[in-house]
Amino acid sequence: SLARNNNKAEDLMGVLTVEEKVKMRRIVLAQGSFSTMGLHIRHWERLKDWAVMGGFKLYPLSEDLLMKYLFSLYERGSGPTVVTSVRSAVLWIGNRLQMDVPDVHGQPIKALENKIIEERAKEVKEAVPFPVELVVCLEEYVVAPGSPFAYAVFAGLLLCVIFASLRFNDAMHVKV
């Protein structure tokens, strides 16, 4: 059954015409939440402001100009996700304005993105685990007959947070 489904998927590859693929891409890019659209617009406005201040012609956007802008962001210390965000914004704006955009997946942009990630991406910090003795103590407190109810509930909440690997503020949103 799985092999048959894979064969069907392979049979469908190449079924869409170039025009249909472009239409599908536009439909996908047209979707998005209000905050995502706002982010795309803000990225584009920053690009436009940068081009105006530098005396560059923004329209039509060239790969060289986009690369120069991304490099200026790099020199200003941009974070590891900025290139990805600008890439998405350029594609989205290009789609919405029906204008041609440069190859945002080209090697120069990818190389700069990888360099930024390599230099500026931070390792995810792992929290120090609670000692087993503390967890055992909390468990015993929760089930002890003489424990005040409110304290026992709080200790139980802490145990839930520990076992679910949640931060305390995340636990405030858990529905029981």
Side-chain angles (χ1 to χ4, degrees):
S1 173
L2 182 60
R4 190 174 30 216
N5 287 340
N6 285 339
N7 289 339
K8 285 181 183 178
E10 288 173 10
D11 291 342
L12 291 176
M13 299 300 258
V15 171
L16 291 176
T17 65
V18 173
E19 293 82 18
E20 289 170 330
K21 287 179 184 177
V22 169
K23 286 179 185 176
M24 288 301 297
R25 181 175 162 262
R26 287 188 175 149
I27 289 170
V28 169
L29 289 174
Q31 303 299 312
S33 70
F34 181 74
S35 61
T36 303
M37 289 185 281
L39 180 64
H40 292 328
I41 292 167
R42 282 190 301 279
H43 273 300
W44 188 261
E45 287 173 342
R46 286 186 202 122
L47 170 59
K48 179 186 67 79
D49 292 344
W50 171 86
V52 168
M53 286 176 49
F56 302 113
K57 180 182 169 197
L58 182 60
Y59 300 101
L61 180 60
S62 68
E63 187 172 352
D64 286 346
L65 184 65
L66 180 58
M67 195 62 211
K68 189 170 184 70
Y69 174 66
L70 292 173
F71 194 73
S72 75
L73 293 175
Y74 164 72
E75 288 179 329
R76 287 187 273 164
S78 66
T81 60
V82 170
V83 173
T84 306
S85 294
V86 170
R87 176 188 297 122
S88 295
V90 167
L91 288 172
W92 188 83
I93 293 289
N95 175 58
R96 301 304 287 179
L97 298 179
Q98 300 292 309
M99 71 178 195
D100 292 328
V101 293
D103 180 14
V104 295
H105 299 290
Q107 187 58 36
I109 294 174
K110 283 284 194 188
L112 181 61
E113 179 179 30
N114 290 338
K115 182 173 178 60
I116 293 171
I117 289 171
E118 182 180 303
E119 289 178 4
R120 301 187 181 142
K122 294 182 177 134
E123 284 186 38
V124 176
K125 294 181 183 176
E126 291 288 327
V128 177
F130 287 100
V132 174
E133 295 81 12
L134 174 65
V135 175
V136 170
C137 186
L138 286 170
E139 288 174 337
E140 289 173 354
Y141 187 82
V142 168
V143 295
S147 299
F149 180 75
Y151 293 139
V153 170
F154 185 73
L157 172 66
L158 287 177
L159 287 169
C160 289
V161 168
I162 292 168
F163 292 139
S165 300
L166 297 174
R167 296 175 301 190
F168 186 77
N169 63 342
D170 291 335
M172 304 312 293
H173 303 287
V174 173
K175 293 181 182 175
V176 222

